[in-house]
Amino acid sequence: MSKKGSNEERAVVKLFEERGFGAIRVPASGARTKSDKPDVLAGNGRFYFAVEVKSSKNDYIYIRSEQVEELLNFASAFGAVPLVVAKFTYVPYKVFSPSELNVTKSGKYTIHRDFAKDGIDLVDFIDEKR
């Protein structure tokens, strides 16, 4: 995992915590372990989220289909809502349902910078769930 990726995950945890959620970063996520794990788990007793965090300085974020499948499997088993949080340079964190993402012919999920600009700010999303 890149240092930037883990920093973005920590920042997402902090945003949830500052708004009254319990949140943890799951450091084993993405390590291709035998169990499906998201990057971040967050909950407040009423809402629970399994979160995949992605960032890019380029115009696209690509997510392997296996990562999305693992996120969906974990969220279902845990009773959480699966979310993808995207962070582009100079754009606030944006939140998406995996079903909102575009899929390439090769099966990768994508988020374009322009699509993300119109997405829901993570802070606004969390505030709605307080």
Side-chain angles (χ1 to χ4, degrees):
M1 158 165 315
S2 74
K3 184 174 180 178
K4 182 178 182 199
S6 59
N7 287 342
E8 299 297 355
E9 292 169 6
R10 286 183 188 96
V12 168
V13 166
K14 185 177 179 183
L15 288 172
F16 273 103
E17 289 178 338
E18 289 173 345
R19 285 153 182 81
F21 278 72
I24 60 167
R25 182 175 163 260
V26 183
S29 67
R32 298 190 182 192
T33 60
K34 292 187 179 187
S35 61
D36 305 332
K37 294 182 177 75
D39 293 326
V40 173
L41 280 174
N44 67 357
R46 292 182 345 175
F47 298 101
Y48 300 93
F49 301 106
V51 184
E52 188 69 27
V53 180
K54 296 294 177 188
S55 64
S56 180
K57 61 184 176 185
N58 299 316
D59 287 339
Y60 280 94
I61 290 174
Y62 293 94
I63 308 169
R64 293 187 336 270
S65 60
E66 298 86 23
Q67 285 182 293
V68 174
E69 289 170 23
E70 290 170 4
L71 174 66
L72 294 171
N73 290 340
F74 181 89
S76 176
F78 194 81
V81 174
L83 300 176
V84 175
V85 170
K87 176 67 172 104
F88 288 95
T89 308
Y90 308 116
V91 178
Y93 289 95
K94 300 291 184 164
V95 62
F96 302 94
S97 167
S99 64
E100 294 178 282
L101 305 181
N102 294 316
V103 182
T104 66
K105 290 180 183 178
S106 66
K108 288 184 179 178
Y109 289 76
T110 66
I111 304 170
H112 189 274
R113 177 183 294 274
D114 291 337
F115 176 71
K117 287 180 182 176
D118 294 332
I120 298 170
D121 280 9
L122 178 59
V123 170
D124 293 340
F125 177 84
I126 297 169
D127 286 345
E128 288 177 7
K129 305 300 180 191
R130 289 165 91 176

